């Protein structure tokens, strides 16, 4: 932390070059462990074996064949079947079936195995069908990206991207992978899905020394959205290697034990001890009465197997699958029916960072002219003129959704709902020239003609706009106080 950014970049880059020159004896560095935000763009491209013109198509296909970062959504029937067998009663039932077969009761052993197998098969089929439906949904809503390959631009899905791919992004685009910026123009990103920060974050390709994700302004992260501007970036991580992917992988590895599984484990511990004790007593009593050992052992095994409720896992699966079907009728797909029970016990759900949970869209709720204000639906003429000035300082669009910046969308959509337009209070107004919004500028301004007069309309951050207004100090202080209270 004591060194400046340039020194840190030079030092780290020197370490990487030393490792690369060391040959096979060097410790390999995984893509997720490399501080791409700290490296100059040229060094990032060099490390990834890419250029600003992107990869060659042949090289991209080769990397895709050898890539292991993507996590498949679908589940095979075999793996799902083995997962369903992983309940506490299965080992006990398996041992009981084996002992029954060895003791001369193959019919009992076959019955136990059939019940366990059918129960696991039904559960695994449900999971495979659900996974395929989920994969179909994800396929239809797959994130697409504009990738630069062989010097040309191509439209691909996020799953087709590989390390070193160069992508172009614009306002409204979803970032398809973790990327290091190569170039940016007026770029802002909505990172609420990753950092919880509800406001757009200005981005810049310059290297930055930062420990926290939210402070790495030279990076774009998978799942975030471009709020404004354009970007040229190189892919540095995909799939489970991304920041979001690693979090999801950690969640998959740490699946909590549900109440039913805990109760089955407890039941297993109790019934196993009772079953073994009863079997031992039956065997001992038989031997004391002179019954042959084979017959005594057979009776003991039958008693032990009978004391284990082999039908219970089947009933548990049936109940969970029935709940999954009921949820499916309401449009909810359940990949693992065991999670339904855990969700059913929840009374209160607490979240941090509201920007991650809300729709992520802005709306106009109140109009204020510095002296008085009102809700959007109860505007008098003076406040309607204020709203009209904001509309004039907003890019024109047939549909507010087409606008790149969320503030512009909110103003245009809110104005249309209360029938306020650019000519409200300014009859005959026509646009002459516009100065679009940029993060570095902090405002959007338009000059329009109204008769023989030119009218300047400005919409922007109060701390940027107010100092530029021709106001006396008392009026300026009054407006600044009003802004602070609002």
């Amino acid at each position: 932390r004591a060194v400046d950014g340039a020194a840190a970049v030079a030092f780290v880059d020197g370490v990487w070059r030393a490792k690369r020159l060391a040959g096979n004896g060097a410790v390999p560095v995984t893509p997720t462990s490399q501080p791409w935000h700290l490296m100059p763009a040229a060094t990032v491209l060099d490390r990834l074996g890419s250029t600003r013109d992107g990869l060659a198509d042949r090289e991209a296909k080769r990397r895709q064949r050898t890539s292991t970062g993507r996590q498949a959504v679908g589940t095979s029937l075999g793996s799902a079947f083995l997962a369903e067998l992983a309940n506490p009663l299965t080992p006990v039932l398996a041992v009981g079936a084996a002992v029954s077969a060895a003791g001369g009761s193959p019919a009992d052993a076959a019955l136990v195995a059939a019940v366990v197998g059918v129960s696991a098969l039904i559960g695994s089929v449900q999971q495979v069908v659900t996974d395929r439906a989920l994969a179909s949904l994800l396929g239809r809503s797959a994130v697409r990206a504009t990738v630069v390959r062989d010097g040309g631009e191509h439209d691909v899905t996020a799953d087709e991207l590989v390390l070193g791919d160069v992508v172009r992004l614009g306002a409204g685009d979803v970032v398809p992978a973790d990327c290091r910026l190569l170039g940016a123009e007026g770029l802002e990103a909505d990172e609420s899905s990753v950092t919880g920060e509800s406001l757009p974050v200005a981005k810049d390709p310059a290297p930055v020394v930062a420990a926290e994700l939210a402070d790495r302004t030279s990076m774009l992260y998978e799942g975030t959205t471009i709020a404004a501007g354009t970007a040229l970036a190189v892919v540095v991580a995909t799939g489970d290697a991304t920041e979001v992917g690693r979090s999801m992988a950690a969640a998959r590895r740490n699946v909590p034990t549900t109440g039913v599984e805990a109760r089955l484990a407890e039941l297993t511990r109790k019934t196993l001890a009772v079953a073994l004790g009863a079997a031992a007593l039956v065997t001992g009593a038989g031997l004391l009465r002179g019954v042959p050992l084979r017959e005594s052992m057979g009776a003991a095994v039958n008693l032990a197997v009978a004391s284990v409720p082999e039908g219970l896992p089947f009933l548990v699966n049936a109940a969970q699958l029935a709940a999954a079907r009921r949820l499916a009728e309401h449009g909810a797909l359940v990949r693992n029916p065991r999670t339904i029970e855990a969700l059913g016990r929840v009374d209160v759900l607490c979240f941090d960072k509201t920007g991650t949970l809300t729709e992520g869209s802005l709306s106009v709720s109140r109009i204020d002219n510095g002296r008085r204000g009102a809700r959007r639906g109860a505007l008098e003429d003076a406040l309607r003129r204020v709203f009209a000035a904001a509309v004039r300082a907003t890019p024109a669009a047939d549909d507010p959704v087409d606008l790149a910046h969320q503030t512009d969308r909110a103003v245009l959509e809110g104005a249309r709902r209360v029938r306020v337009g650019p000519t409200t209070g300014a009859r005959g107004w026509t646009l002459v020239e516009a100065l679009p919004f940029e993060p570095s500028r902090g405002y959007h301004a338009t000059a329009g003609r109204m008769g023989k007069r030119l009218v300047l309309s400005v919409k922007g951050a109060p701390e940027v706009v107010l100092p530029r207004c021709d106001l006396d100090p008392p009026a300026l202080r009054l407006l600044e106080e009003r802004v602070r209270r609002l």
Side-chain angles (χ1 to χ4, degrees):
R1 292 183 180 179
V3 299
D4 62 8
V9 171
F11 171 74
V12 173
D13 188 41
V15 174
W16 279 325
R17 291 183 184 278
K19 284 187 176 181
R20 190 164 55 177
L21 291 173
N24 295 331
V27 178
V29 181
T30 59
T32 55
S33 67
Q34 299 195 27
W36 301 108
H37 61 282
L38 193 65
M39 303 164 62
T43 305
V44 174
L45 291 171
D46 180 57
R47 290 285 296 170
L48 295 171
S50 184
T51 66
R52 294 180 73 91
D53 293 329
L55 298 171
D57 191 57
R58 180 181 300 178
E59 173 64 14
K61 290 180 179 178
R62 185 192 68 80
R63 295 188 183 190
Q64 194 170 30
R65 287 194 300 269
T66 59
S67 175
T68 58
R70 291 289 172 190
Q71 176 70 32
V73 176
T75 302
S76 67
L77 184 60
S79 60
F81 183 78
L82 293 176
E84 288 295 325
L85 289 177
N87 71 72
L89 288 180
T90 298
V92 179
L93 293 172
V95 172
V99 174
S100 293
S105 301
D108 293 341
L111 181 61
V112 172
V115 171
V116 174
V118 170
S119 173
L121 182 62
I122 293 175
S124 59
V125 169
Q126 157 72 14
Q127 184 173 347
V128 169
V129 170
T130 304
D131 276 0
R132 287 177 179 174
L134 183 60
S136 177
L137 287 175
L138 293 177
R140 287 197 294 269
S141 60
V143 175
R144 303 197 68 83
T146 301
V147 64
V148 180
R149 288 178 183 169
D150 287 328
E153 296 184 0
H154 308 276
D155 185 49
V156 300
T157 64
D159 286 342
E160 297 177 72
L161 294 176
V162 296
L163 299 186
D165 264 332
V166 175
V167 295
R168 291 191 183 277
L169 299 167
D173 289 344
V174 177
V175 179
D178 284 4
C179 302
R180 171 64 165 85
L181 282 174
L182 302 177
E185 185 175 346
L187 184 63
E188 291 185 356
D190 177 0
E191 295 187 333
S192 59
S193 61
V194 175
T195 65
E197 175 56 58
S198 58
L199 297 177
V201 179
K203 294 290 184 175
D204 189 278
V208 59
V209 180
E212 301 295 332
L213 294 182
D215 299 327
R216 297 176 182 179
T217 54
S218 59
M219 296 290 297
L220 295 173
Y221 294 103
E222 181 184 18
T224 60
T225 306
I226 304 300
T230 58
L232 183 71
V234 60
V235 175
V236 298
T238 60
D240 282 353
T242 65
E243 294 295 336
V244 172
R246 285 192 288 169
S247 299
M248 295 297 291
R252 286 193 295 268
R253 287 194 299 267
N254 299 302
V255 179
T257 301
T258 62
V260 168
E261 290 177 308
R263 289 296 180 90
L264 285 177
E266 181 183 359
L267 182 62
T268 301
R269 289 194 299 271
K270 292 180 178 179
T271 58
L272 185 60
V274 173
L276 293 177
L281 288 175
V282 169
T283 303
L287 292 176
L288 290 175
R289 295 177 57 191
V291 178
L293 178 61
R294 182 183 180 88
E295 294 182 15
S296 297
M297 286 293 294
V301 168
N302 289 335
L303 178 62
V305 172
S307 65
V308 177
E310 66 271 6
L312 189 56
F314 180 82
L315 294 176
V316 169
N317 270 349
Q320 291 173 339
L321 292 175
R325 282 194 297 271
R326 288 196 297 272
L327 284 173
E329 294 174 357
H330 294 280
L333 289 176
V334 180
R335 295 186 67 185
N336 186 354
R338 296 175 185 173
T339 59
I340 299 174
E341 181 213 353
L343 184 61
R345 296 200 306 271
V346 173
D347 294 320
V348 179
L349 212 55
C350 298
F351 289 94
D352 189 19
K353 301 294 184 184
T354 56
T356 313
L357 297 174
T358 59
E359 293 181 358
S361 61
L362 304 178
S363 62
V364 175
S365 62
R366 183 180 178 87
I367 309 296
D368 197 291
N369 63 5
R371 293 180 297 276
R372 59 184 179 276
R375 304 290 295 180
R376 188 184 63 191
L379 301 179
E380 58 185 56
D381 289 344
L383 296 178
R384 290 174 67 86
R385 288 195 295 271
V386 171
F387 208 172
V391 175
R392 290 193 291 271
T394 297
D398 294 332
D399 189 341
V401 177
D402 296 334
L403 297 176
H405 207 280
Q406 293 189 40
T407 306
D408 293 335
R409 296 179 201 169
V411 169
L412 196 56
E413 184 177 284
R416 290 185 176 183
R417 290 187 177 182
V418 295
R419 292 183 173 84
V420 170
T423 59
T424 300
R427 188 184 300 274
W429 180 89
T430 56
L431 179 65
V432 175
E433 192 63 63
L435 193 64
F437 176 85
E438 290 182 2
S440 58
R441 184 181 294 133
Y443 64 86
H444 182 124
T446 61
R449 189 173 298 280
M450 194 172 65
K452 295 183 178 180
R453 293 188 300 147
L454 283 176
V455 177
L456 179 66
S457 304
V458 180
K459 178 177 95 276
E463 64 271 16
V464 175
V465 175
L466 287 179
R468 289 171 164 79
C469 294
D470 185 15
L471 296 169
D472 54 41
L476 182 60
R477 285 195 298 271
L478 181 65
L479 280 174
E480 289 175 343
E481 175 61 21
R482 186 78 165 183
V483 167
R484 188 192 66 78
R485 284 191 286 114
L486 287 172

